[in-house]
Amino acid sequence: MTGKRRVAWPGRPFSGVHFRVDAVYQRTIGELRARGSLLWLVFTPLARDATAAALQQVVAEIDAGAASAEERAELYTALLVMAAIDPWGHTLWKELVTMVEDKEEGLLRRTPIIGEMIIEAEQRGERRGEQRAIAELLGRLFARRIGRQPTAEEERTIVERARAMSPGEVEDALLDLEGEALARWLAEPIRSS
């Protein structure tokens, strides 16, 4: 799509801006690379064919082609911002962070916005890991008491109860209640302690 915006009064010579909107997310990495500028490489995480292996090559190209450490840092930052958008669901952000950190140790954590994104992602990962550990431990107790593995809904409820109450209280209920009593307890509304 192309367009222009006039800032001059009507009847006066044109003064303003001409622009072109380029849907980079519809391009391939090869098409972006063919444009011949490192700037276009920052859009490669949006490409239809983005993969971890392809982005590893892009990171190497940026590393080799950047005119200065400052330019390289700016290109890496833009690359990670584009990876966070992730329109195709490639989920390459974490791999890309690792690749860039391998090239520029500590650079991303020192970059204000990207550093915050990394910390948030790590915290989400830790919370998911904690939830998975709780679900596995308490799910095994559930299976021993009921005689079957918990359904996905029951597992989610167990984790929610462990968050709202405490893992210890949930563990006690799983140890003290049997069969249908345990199933009823899981079906009850969650109360906070």
Side-chain angles (χ1 to χ4, degrees):
M1 176 173 100
T2 60
K4 62 182 176 180
R5 292 287 173 234
R6 172 183 286 277
V7 293
W9 288 101
R12 299 257 182 168
F14 180 80
S15 176
V17 65
H18 293 267
F19 62 90
R20 180 176 153 228
V21 176
D22 191 349
V24 291
Y25 62 91
Q26 295 177 348
R27 307 284 179 239
T28 65
I29 291 176
E31 290 171 327
L32 293 169
R33 185 178 278 126
R35 293 181 177 188
S37 168
L38 290 179
L39 178 62
W40 288 105
L41 293 181
V42 303
F43 297 105
T44 55
L46 303 176
R48 295 186 319 250
D49 60 346
T51 63
L55 289 180
Q56 194 164 17
Q57 292 173 346
V58 167
V59 168
E61 287 176 54
I62 290 172
D63 185 51
S68 65
E70 184 179 345
E71 180 184 40
R72 185 172 36 258
E74 289 172 357
L75 291 168
Y76 284 155
T77 301
L79 185 70
L80 285 162
V81 169
M82 293 299 115
I85 295 170
D86 197 17
W88 301 109
H90 294 313
T91 62
L92 297 169
W93 193 81
K94 190 174 181 178
E95 289 92 342
L96 198 52
V97 166
T98 302
M99 289 177 216
V100 171
E101 280 292 298
D102 285 348
K103 295 280 186 191
E104 296 279 335
E105 189 174 335
L107 165 77
L108 299 177
R109 291 186 184 278
R110 293 188 308 265
T111 306
I113 294 171
I114 300 298
E116 291 168 19
M117 289 171 69
I118 291 170
I119 291 168
E120 272 181 36
E122 287 172 345
Q123 289 171 343
R124 276 194 312 272
E126 288 173 12
R127 284 192 298 271
R128 273 192 225 113
E130 289 170 7
Q131 289 175 2
R132 176 72 5 235
I134 290 170
E136 286 176 10
L137 173 66
L138 298 179
R140 283 196 303 270
L141 284 173
F142 176 93
R144 290 177 96 177
R145 300 302 285 176
I146 298 278
R148 64 172 172 77
Q149 291 298 317
T151 65
E153 179 65 24
E154 289 168 334
E155 190 173 275
R156 186 183 56 74
T157 302
I158 290 169
V159 172
E160 285 176 3
R161 285 184 183 276
R163 249 190 267 133
M165 300 161 73
S166 78
E169 288 179 277
V170 175
E171 183 180 355
D172 289 344
L174 289 169
L175 290 171
D176 296 341
L177 300 174
E178 292 187 34
E180 289 304 312
L182 180 55
R184 280 192 306 276
W185 178 79
L186 278 175
E188 292 173 358
I190 299 174
R191 61 169 174 71
S192 296
S193 54

